[in-house]
Amino acid sequence: DAPAMRGARWPVRKLETLADVATWLGLAKEYLEWFADRRGYQRTAQEQRLWHYRYVWVPKRSGGVRLLEAPKGRLKRVQRRVLDELVGRIPAHAAAHGFQRGRSVLTHARLHSNRETVIRFDLRAFFADVHPARAFGIFRAAGYPEEVARTLTALCTNRAPRVVLAKADRPTSLQALWASRRQVVTGLVVNRGPRV
């Protein structure tokens, strides 16, 4: 008997079992398992046709490269549904302006105009440093049972295949190696289609 949803704090869809998730997404249970890839088969797959993402290394203006991970068609539709019908119903922090309806760079800038001091900085590898455990925690806080939360997390996160990571430019220093490894290997794709 599957555990029921705990008291949901937000108006999210009730999904108490993996069968509920599969039905809601219009997937057979086997396809839900395939797209969630909780066992990590994608990490070792050599053939691109078996991957759920397209991977492209692009140069950064500041030097080095960035890995772009774009979900393929079916997974992208699944992620969009999770974003629109689940994650989108969970309120963001009041300070968040990115990816929020009615908010933008301009609404954020207005909060800081006419201030005596404004500090500007960029968070290095922000999305790559968001660990899947954060997404899992959000789904659990939304009231989903552990197995459902783990599967939703797996649908919304990704670890690039080893063969893709092996194609990254090799850093010239130990410090650069550590930074690039952390940036790429811990990568969470919040693919706006979700990587929460």
Side-chain angles (χ1 to χ4, degrees), residues 99-126:
F99 306 103
Q100 298 297 309
R101 269 198 184 93
R103 292 182 168 207
S104 65
V105 172
L106 185 59
T107 62
H108 181 262
R110 282 186 188 136
L111 297 173
H112 306 287
S113 64
N114 296 322
R115 303 285 185 194
E116 188 174 316
T117 305
V118 175
I119 299 172
R120 180 178 177 251
F121 62 93
D122 191 14
L123 299 175
R124 178 182 289 169
F126 174 78

Side-chain angles (χ1 to χ4, degrees), residues 64-76:
V65 293
R66 170 179 289 119
L67 178 61
L68 298 183
E69 303 170 81
K72 292 180 180 177
R74 263 183 104 178
L75 180 60
K76 185 174 185 174

Side-chain angles (χ1 to χ4, degrees), residues 114-177:
N114 296 322
R115 303 285 185 194
E116 188 174 316
T117 305
V118 175
I119 299 172
R120 180 178 177 251
F121 62 93
D122 191 14
L123 299 175
R124 178 182 289 169
F126 174 78
F127 289 115
D129 281 342
V130 177
H131 195 274
R134 301 277 309 220
F136 175 74
I138 290 170
F139 287 123
R140 288 292 283 158
Y144 293 109
E146 187 171 333
E147 281 302 298
V148 170
R150 286 193 189 289
T151 297
L152 292 171
T153 298
L155 289 170
C156 299
T157 61
N158 180 50
R159 291 189 65 176
R162 290 182 185 122
V163 67
V164 171
L165 298 178
K167 293 179 182 177
D169 287 346
R170 300 288 182 236
T172 55
S173 72
L174 187 56
Q175 184 177 8
L177 174 64

